[in-house]
């Protein structure tokens, strides 16, 4: 094959897009306070992409040079047929990495199938090690089930497992050292995430709950020695090695360290919207494109190439104002 002729996805700012995140459902068995409202209305079956449509779009992106696909949600593992979809995407030969973000609730049953489906790395969300706090943050989750899920995933020896923890002041900020110690004990990595203002949530004020990556890092340095790492995983995390351990600590800092300059990713929502930026509404309706032009891969790819022209330069989040972005994280694909 003439690799020079392979089209690439390049935006107006010269950024190459080679990473696609796909939300395969907006549904979830948890209701995390920063992600969803307590009462949510979910999309109907007719509104969401079928698994075949998701696969076709993944294939188109792979043909356009995308090397990494992350499957997310909502909770991806609650969608019927998720494993079969992962298996199919995992067989796309040009893809270097198929990875998954999950809340961990189904990992005791599904880790082995995920491994067999060629999933290389897992991000598992875990904000606290206190069962009552876990219930309060997730509203419906069971900490013991997630901890057992992490152990089940470890037993499958994925290339890498990383904990994702969203830190909120006065809710779980005092636990950052214990979470790192947990990651060290399990020989896995951990990333801390600053909360993003997506959708209107009740129960906490996002400006008051803001706890910056710099504060977390200062807290960690009271107990651990951190050394800046040159590792890049293709995502927005900035990494540090915890000296004397296998563990890396990452910081995803949408507020305090804008990562847009090196953005290499776009998102597909389960409604088929191609979101060009997490913090803006610029999007292209790929569901409409594939339903109006079934089987026309060349046209789908051209629409995707053209969409790069509307990828915004950066996101602007303001915690002191009502969210400008009304879609919730579960509908966005974190
Ligand atoms: N259900 C899966 C999970 O929780 O890992 C995957 C989807 S979830 C939307 C993906 C990630 O987004 C999780 O790590 C979650 O903690 C994070 N997240 C959700 N809402 C967020 C928000 N408002 N700000 C920052 N991160 C958020
Ligand atoms: Fe569900 Fe993940 Fe959102 Fe929590 S963060 S409600 S687990 S989608």
């Amino acid at each position: 094959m003439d690799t020079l002729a392979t089209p690439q996805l390049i935006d107006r700012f010269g950024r190459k897009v080679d990473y696609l995140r796909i939300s395969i459902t907006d549904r979830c068995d948890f209701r995390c306070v920063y992600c969803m409202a307590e009462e949510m209305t979910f999309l109907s079956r007719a509104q969401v992409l079928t698994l075949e449509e998701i696969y076709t779009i993944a294939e188109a992106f792979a043909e356009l040079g995308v090397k990494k696909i992350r499957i997310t949600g909502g909770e991806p593992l609650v969608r019927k047929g998720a494993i079969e979809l992962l298996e199919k995407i995992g067989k796309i030969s040009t893809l270097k990495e198929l990875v998954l973000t999950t809340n961990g609730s189904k990992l005791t049953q599904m880790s082995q199938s995920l491994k067999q489906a060629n999933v290389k790395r897992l991000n598992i969300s875990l904000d606290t090690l206190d069962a009552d706090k876990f219930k309060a943050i997730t509203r419906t989750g069971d900490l013991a089930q997630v901890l057992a899920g992490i152990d089940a995933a470890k037993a499958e020896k994925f290339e890498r497992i990383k904990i994702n923890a969203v830190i909120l002041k006065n809710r779980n900020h005092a636990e950052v050292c214990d979470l790192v110690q947990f990651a060290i004990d399990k020989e896995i990595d951990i990333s801390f995430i600053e909360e993003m203002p997506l959708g209107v949530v009740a129960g906490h004020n996002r400006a008051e709950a803001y706890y910056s990556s710099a504060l977390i890092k200062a807290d960690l340095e009271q107990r651990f020695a951190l050394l800046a790492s040159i590792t890049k995983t293709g995502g927005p995390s900035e990494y540090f090695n915890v000296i004397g351990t296998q563990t890396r600590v990452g910081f995803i800092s949408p507020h305090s360290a804008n990562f847009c300059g090196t953005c290499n990713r776009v998102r597909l929502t389960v409604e088929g919207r191609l979101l060009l930026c997490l913090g803006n509404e610029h999007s292209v309706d790929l569901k409409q494109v594939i339903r109006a032009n079934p089987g026309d891969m060349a046209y789908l790819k051209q629409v995707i190439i053209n969409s790069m022209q509307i990828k915004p330069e950066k996101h602007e989040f303001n915690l002191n104002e009502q969210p400008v972005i009304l879609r919730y994280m579960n509908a966005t694909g974190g």
Side-chain angles (χ1 to χ4, degrees), residues 239-262:
Y239 281 103
F240 292 80
N241 294 314
V242 185
I243 294 177
T245 77
Q246 309 278 322
T247 294
R248 278 179 298 172
V249 177
F251 296 96
I252 302 176
S253 319
H255 301 288
S256 59
N258 186 297
F259 41 66
C260 303
T262 55

PDB file of all heavy atoms in Angstrom, residues 239-262:
ATOM      1  N   TYR A 239       2.259  13.341  33.356  1.00  0.00           N
ATOM      2  CA  TYR A 239       2.598  12.242  34.267  1.00  0.00           C
ATOM      3  C   TYR A 239       3.816  12.490  35.143  1.00  0.00           C
ATOM      4  O   TYR A 239       4.766  13.171  34.743  1.00  0.00           O
ATOM      5  CB  TYR A 239       2.860  10.961  33.462  1.00  0.00           C
ATOM      6  CG  TYR A 239       1.569  10.296  33.039  1.00  0.00           C
ATOM      7  CD1 TYR A 239       1.106  10.407  31.728  1.00  0.00           C
ATOM      8  CD2 TYR A 239       0.788   9.605  33.953  1.00  0.00           C
ATOM      9  CE1 TYR A 239      -0.083   9.824  31.341  1.00  0.00           C
ATOM     10  CE2 TYR A 239      -0.402   9.028  33.586  1.00  0.00           C
ATOM     11  CZ  TYR A 239      -0.836   9.139  32.274  1.00  0.00           C
ATOM     12  OH  TYR A 239      -2.024   8.577  31.913  1.00  0.00           O
ATOM     13  N   PHE A 240       3.780  11.861  36.319  1.00  0.00           N
ATOM     14  CA  PHE A 240       4.919  11.839  37.238  1.00  0.00           C
ATOM     15  C   PHE A 240       5.121  10.402  37.710  1.00  0.00           C
ATOM     16  O   PHE A 240       4.132   9.683  37.916  1.00  0.00           O
ATOM     17  CB  PHE A 240       4.635  12.733  38.465  1.00  0.00           C
ATOM     18  CG  PHE A 240       4.569  14.188  38.122  1.00  0.00           C
ATOM     19  CD1 PHE A 240       3.412  14.725  37.559  1.00  0.00           C
ATOM     20  CD2 PHE A 240       5.670  15.006  38.303  1.00  0.00           C
ATOM     21  CE1 PHE A 240       3.354  16.075  37.202  1.00  0.00           C
ATOM     22  CE2 PHE A 240       5.618  16.352  37.946  1.00  0.00           C
ATOM     23  CZ  PHE A 240       4.456  16.885  37.397  1.00  0.00           C
ATOM     24  N   ASN A 241       6.391  10.004  37.851  1.00  0.00           N
ATOM     25  CA  ASN A 241       6.664   8.691  38.445  1.00  0.00           C
ATOM     26  C   ASN A 241       6.722   8.858  39.957  1.00  0.00           C
ATOM     27  O   ASN A 241       7.284   9.842  40.458  1.00  0.00           O
ATOM     28  CB  ASN A 241       8.022   8.162  37.960  1.00  0.00           C
ATOM     29  CG  ASN A 241       7.990   7.872  36.474  1.00  0.00           C
ATOM     30  OD1 ASN A 241       7.055   7.251  35.961  1.00  0.00           O
ATOM     31  ND2 ASN A 241       8.994   8.357  35.758  1.00  0.00           N
ATOM     32  N   VAL A 242       6.138   7.889  40.662  1.00  0.00           N
ATOM     33  CA  VAL A 242       6.292   7.891  42.121  1.00  0.00           C
ATOM     34  C   VAL A 242       7.577   7.117  42.393  1.00  0.00           C
ATOM     35  O   VAL A 242       7.644   5.904  42.144  1.00  0.00           O
ATOM     36  CB  VAL A 242       5.097   7.207  42.827  1.00  0.00           C
ATOM     37  CG1 VAL A 242       5.237   7.330  44.341  1.00  0.00           C
ATOM     38  CG2 VAL A 242       3.773   7.796  42.366  1.00  0.00           C
ATOM     39  N   ILE A 243       8.591   7.821  42.844  1.00  0.00           N
ATOM     40  CA  ILE A 243       9.917   7.208  42.940  1.00  0.00           C
ATOM     41  C   ILE A 243       9.893   5.990  43.866  1.00  0.00           C
ATOM     42  O   ILE A 243       9.258   6.000  44.923  1.00  0.00           O
ATOM     43  CB  ILE A 243      10.950   8.255  43.409  1.00  0.00           C
ATOM     44  CG1 ILE A 243      11.071   9.305  42.306  1.00  0.00           C
ATOM     45  CG2 ILE A 243      12.324   7.624  43.666  1.00  0.00           C
ATOM     46  CD1 ILE A 243      11.976  10.440  42.618  1.00  0.00           C
ATOM     47  N   GLY A 244      10.558   4.932  43.385  1.00  0.00           N
ATOM     48  CA  GLY A 244      10.639   3.701  44.173  1.00  0.00           C
ATOM     49  C   GLY A 244       9.443   2.789  43.980  1.00  0.00           C
ATOM     50  O   GLY A 244       9.313   1.782  44.670  1.00  0.00           O
ATOM     51  N   THR A 245       8.546   3.147  43.032  1.00  0.00           N
ATOM     52  CA  THR A 245       7.366   2.308  42.797  1.00  0.00           C
ATOM     53  C   THR A 245       7.161   2.130  41.280  1.00  0.00           C
ATOM     54  O   THR A 245       7.828   2.773  40.478  1.00  0.00           O
ATOM     55  CB  THR A 245       6.074   2.958  43.346  1.00  0.00           C
ATOM     56  OG1 THR A 245       5.654   3.999  42.444  1.00  0.00           O
ATOM     57  CG2 THR A 245       6.274   3.544  44.732  1.00  0.00           C
ATOM     58  N   GLN A 246       6.179   1.265  40.941  1.00  0.00           N
ATOM     59  CA  GLN A 246       5.818   1.048  39.535  1.00  0.00           C
ATOM     60  C   GLN A 246       4.785   2.076  39.062  1.00  0.00           C
ATOM     61  O   GLN A 246       4.388   2.069  37.902  1.00  0.00           O
ATOM     62  CB  GLN A 246       5.108  -0.313  39.395  1.00  0.00           C
ATOM     63  CG  GLN A 246       5.817  -1.490  40.010  1.00  0.00           C
ATOM     64  CD  GLN A 246       6.876  -1.984  39.075  1.00  0.00           C
ATOM     65  OE1 GLN A 246       6.673  -2.001  37.867  1.00  0.00           O
ATOM     66  NE2 GLN A 246       8.013  -2.339  39.614  1.00  0.00           N
ATOM     67  N   THR A 247       4.316   2.905  39.977  1.00  0.00           N
ATOM     68  CA  THR A 247       3.113   3.707  39.711  1.00  0.00           C
ATOM     69  C   THR A 247       3.422   5.071  39.124  1.00  0.00           C
ATOM     70  O   THR A 247       4.362   5.748  39.553  1.00  0.00           O
ATOM     71  CB  THR A 247       2.324   3.847  41.041  1.00  0.00           C
ATOM     72  OG1 THR A 247       1.858   2.561  41.399  1.00  0.00           O
ATOM     73  CG2 THR A 247       1.143   4.802  40.916  1.00  0.00           C
ATOM     74  N   ARG A 248       2.599   5.453  38.154  1.00  0.00           N
ATOM     75  CA  ARG A 248       2.659   6.813  37.629  1.00  0.00           C
ATOM     76  C   ARG A 248       1.403   7.563  38.068  1.00  0.00           C
ATOM     77  O   ARG A 248       0.318   6.985  38.100  1.00  0.00           O
ATOM     78  CB  ARG A 248       2.697   6.807  36.103  1.00  0.00           C
ATOM     79  CG  ARG A 248       4.086   6.574  35.566  1.00  0.00           C
ATOM     80  CD  ARG A 248       4.077   6.552  34.067  1.00  0.00           C
ATOM     81  NE  ARG A 248       3.259   5.459  33.578  1.00  0.00           N
ATOM     82  CZ  ARG A 248       2.946   5.278  32.300  1.00  0.00           C
ATOM     83  NH1 ARG A 248       3.349   6.119  31.393  1.00  0.00           N
ATOM     84  NH2 ARG A 248       2.221   4.247  31.924  1.00  0.00           N
ATOM     85  N   VAL A 249       1.593   8.834  38.381  1.00  0.00           N
ATOM     86  CA  VAL A 249       0.458   9.677  38.746  1.00  0.00           C
ATOM     87  C   VAL A 249       0.262  10.698  37.639  1.00  0.00           C
ATOM     88  O   VAL A 249       1.215  11.371  37.237  1.00  0.00           O
ATOM     89  CB  VAL A 249       0.733  10.436  40.067  1.00  0.00           C
ATOM     90  CG1 VAL A 249      -0.431  11.357  40.396  1.00  0.00           C
ATOM     91  CG2 VAL A 249       0.952   9.463  41.204  1.00  0.00           C
ATOM     92  N   GLY A 250      -0.964  10.779  37.120  1.00  0.00           N
ATOM     93  CA  GLY A 250      -1.256  11.740  36.058  1.00  0.00           C
ATOM     94  C   GLY A 250      -2.181  12.830  36.560  1.00  0.00           C
ATOM     95  O   GLY A 250      -2.941  12.632  37.523  1.00  0.00           O
ATOM     96  N   PHE A 251      -2.105  13.977  35.905  1.00  0.00           N
ATOM     97  CA  PHE A 251      -3.014  15.084  36.228  1.00  0.00           C
ATOM     98  C   PHE A 251      -3.694  15.531  34.948  1.00  0.00           C
ATOM     99  O   PHE A 251      -3.019  15.847  33.972  1.00  0.00           O
ATOM    100  CB  PHE A 251      -2.235  16.260  36.836  1.00  0.00           C
ATOM    101  CG  PHE A 251      -1.597  15.912  38.151  1.00  0.00           C
ATOM    102  CD1 PHE A 251      -0.272  15.503  38.208  1.00  0.00           C
ATOM    103  CD2 PHE A 251      -2.339  15.965  39.323  1.00  0.00           C
ATOM    104  CE1 PHE A 251       0.316  15.153  39.413  1.00  0.00           C
ATOM    105  CE2 PHE A 251      -1.752  15.625  40.534  1.00  0.00           C
ATOM    106  CZ  PHE A 251      -0.429  15.214  40.582  1.00  0.00           C
ATOM    107  N   ILE A 252      -5.017  15.508  34.959  1.00  0.00           N
ATOM    108  CA  ILE A 252      -5.790  15.997  33.820  1.00  0.00           C
ATOM    109  C   ILE A 252      -6.404  17.303  34.284  1.00  0.00           C
ATOM    110  O   ILE A 252      -7.272  17.320  35.166  1.00  0.00           O
ATOM    111  CB  ILE A 252      -6.868  14.969  33.397  1.00  0.00           C
ATOM    112  CG1 ILE A 252      -6.187  13.635  33.043  1.00  0.00           C
ATOM    113  CG2 ILE A 252      -7.675  15.500  32.219  1.00  0.00           C
ATOM    114  CD1 ILE A 252      -7.152  12.505  32.698  1.00  0.00           C
ATOM    115  N   SER A 253      -5.913  18.397  33.727  1.00  0.00           N
ATOM    116  CA  SER A 253      -6.173  19.723  34.318  1.00  0.00           C
ATOM    117  C   SER A 253      -6.834  20.656  33.320  1.00  0.00           C
ATOM    118  O   SER A 253      -6.203  21.585  32.829  1.00  0.00           O
ATOM    119  CB  SER A 253      -4.839  20.329  34.779  1.00  0.00           C
ATOM    120  OG  SER A 253      -4.024  19.352  35.398  1.00  0.00           O
ATOM    121  N   PRO A 254      -8.110  20.416  33.009  1.00  0.00           N
ATOM    122  CA  PRO A 254      -8.758  21.265  32.004  1.00  0.00           C
ATOM    123  C   PRO A 254      -8.812  22.736  32.400  1.00  0.00           C
ATOM    124  O   PRO A 254      -8.912  23.601  31.537  1.00  0.00           O
ATOM    125  CB  PRO A 254     -10.171  20.675  31.904  1.00  0.00           C
ATOM    126  CG  PRO A 254     -10.353  19.869  33.150  1.00  0.00           C
ATOM    127  CD  PRO A 254      -9.002  19.382  33.530  1.00  0.00           C
ATOM    128  N   HIS A 255      -8.749  23.022  33.716  1.00  0.00           N
ATOM    129  CA  HIS A 255      -8.803  24.424  34.143  1.00  0.00           C
ATOM    130  C   HIS A 255      -7.415  25.018  34.294  1.00  0.00           C
ATOM    131  O   HIS A 255      -7.130  26.088  33.781  1.00  0.00           O
ATOM    132  CB  HIS A 255      -9.532  24.554  35.490  1.00  0.00           C
ATOM    133  CG  HIS A 255     -10.922  24.022  35.420  1.00  0.00           C
ATOM    134  ND1 HIS A 255     -11.919  24.666  34.754  1.00  0.00           N
ATOM    135  CD2 HIS A 255     -11.466  22.883  35.909  1.00  0.00           C
ATOM    136  CE1 HIS A 255     -13.028  23.948  34.832  1.00  0.00           C
ATOM    137  NE2 HIS A 255     -12.775  22.861  35.529  1.00  0.00           N
ATOM    138  N   SER A 256      -6.544  24.299  35.031  1.00  0.00           N
ATOM    139  CA  SER A 256      -5.289  24.931  35.428  1.00  0.00           C
ATOM    140  C   SER A 256      -4.169  24.760  34.412  1.00  0.00           C
ATOM    141  O   SER A 256      -3.195  25.491  34.448  1.00  0.00           O
ATOM    142  CB  SER A 256      -4.849  24.398  36.788  1.00  0.00           C
ATOM    143  OG  SER A 256      -4.666  23.007  36.748  1.00  0.00           O
ATOM    144  N   ALA A 257      -4.265  23.795  33.507  1.00  0.00           N
ATOM    145  CA  ALA A 257      -3.187  23.618  32.521  1.00  0.00           C
ATOM    146  C   ALA A 257      -3.833  23.197  31.211  1.00  0.00           C
ATOM    147  O   ALA A 257      -3.864  22.024  30.887  1.00  0.00           O
ATOM    148  CB  ALA A 257      -2.183  22.569  32.996  1.00  0.00           C
ATOM    149  N   ASN A 258      -4.372  24.159  30.508  1.00  0.00           N
ATOM    150  CA  ASN A 258      -5.098  23.871  29.271  1.00  0.00           C
ATOM    151  C   ASN A 258      -4.241  23.016  28.332  1.00  0.00           C
ATOM    152  O   ASN A 258      -3.109  23.349  28.022  1.00  0.00           O
ATOM    153  CB  ASN A 258      -5.457  25.198  28.603  1.00  0.00           C
ATOM    154  CG  ASN A 258      -6.327  24.993  27.403  1.00  0.00           C
ATOM    155  OD1 ASN A 258      -5.908  24.376  26.445  1.00  0.00           O
ATOM    156  ND2 ASN A 258      -7.538  25.501  27.466  1.00  0.00           N
ATOM    157  N   PHE A 259      -4.835  21.865  27.911  1.00  0.00           N
ATOM    158  CA  PHE A 259      -4.058  20.921  27.099  1.00  0.00           C
ATOM    159  C   PHE A 259      -4.438  20.968  25.618  1.00  0.00           C
ATOM    160  O   PHE A 259      -4.115  20.072  24.861  1.00  0.00           O
ATOM    161  CB  PHE A 259      -4.220  19.494  27.647  1.00  0.00           C
ATOM    162  CG  PHE A 259      -5.648  19.161  28.080  1.00  0.00           C
ATOM    163  CD1 PHE A 259      -6.673  19.079  27.159  1.00  0.00           C
ATOM    164  CD2 PHE A 259      -5.936  18.926  29.419  1.00  0.00           C
ATOM    165  CE1 PHE A 259      -7.970  18.777  27.559  1.00  0.00           C
ATOM    166  CE2 PHE A 259      -7.236  18.632  29.828  1.00  0.00           C
ATOM    167  CZ  PHE A 259      -8.263  18.553  28.882  1.00  0.00           C
ATOM    168  N   CYS A 260      -5.123  22.048  25.202  1.00  0.00           N
ATOM    169  CA  CYS A 260      -5.673  22.073  23.841  1.00  0.00           C
ATOM    170  C   CYS A 260      -4.597  22.142  22.747  1.00  0.00           C
ATOM    171  O   CYS A 260      -4.827  21.677  21.630  1.00  0.00           O
ATOM    172  CB  CYS A 260      -6.616  23.253  23.682  1.00  0.00           C
ATOM    173  SG  CYS A 260      -7.964  23.217  24.890  1.00  0.00           S
ATOM    174  N   GLY A 261      -3.452  22.747  23.052  1.00  0.00           N
ATOM    175  CA  GLY A 261      -2.412  22.926  22.028  1.00  0.00           C
ATOM    176  C   GLY A 261      -1.975  21.625  21.399  1.00  0.00           C
ATOM    177  O   GLY A 261      -1.589  21.583  20.226  1.00  0.00           O
ATOM    178  N   THR A 262      -2.009  20.537  22.192  1.00  0.00           N
ATOM    179  CA  THR A 262      -1.557  19.243  21.669  1.00  0.00           C
ATOM    180  C   THR A 262      -2.733  18.289  21.455  1.00  0.00           C
ATOM    181  O   THR A 262      -2.533  17.071  21.381  1.00  0.00           O
ATOM    182  CB  THR A 262      -0.564  18.589  22.651  1.00  0.00           C
ATOM    183  OG1 THR A 262      -1.210  18.523  23.923  1.00  0.00           O
ATOM    184  CG2 THR A 262       0.729  19.367  22.770  1.00  0.00           C
TER     185      THR A 262
END
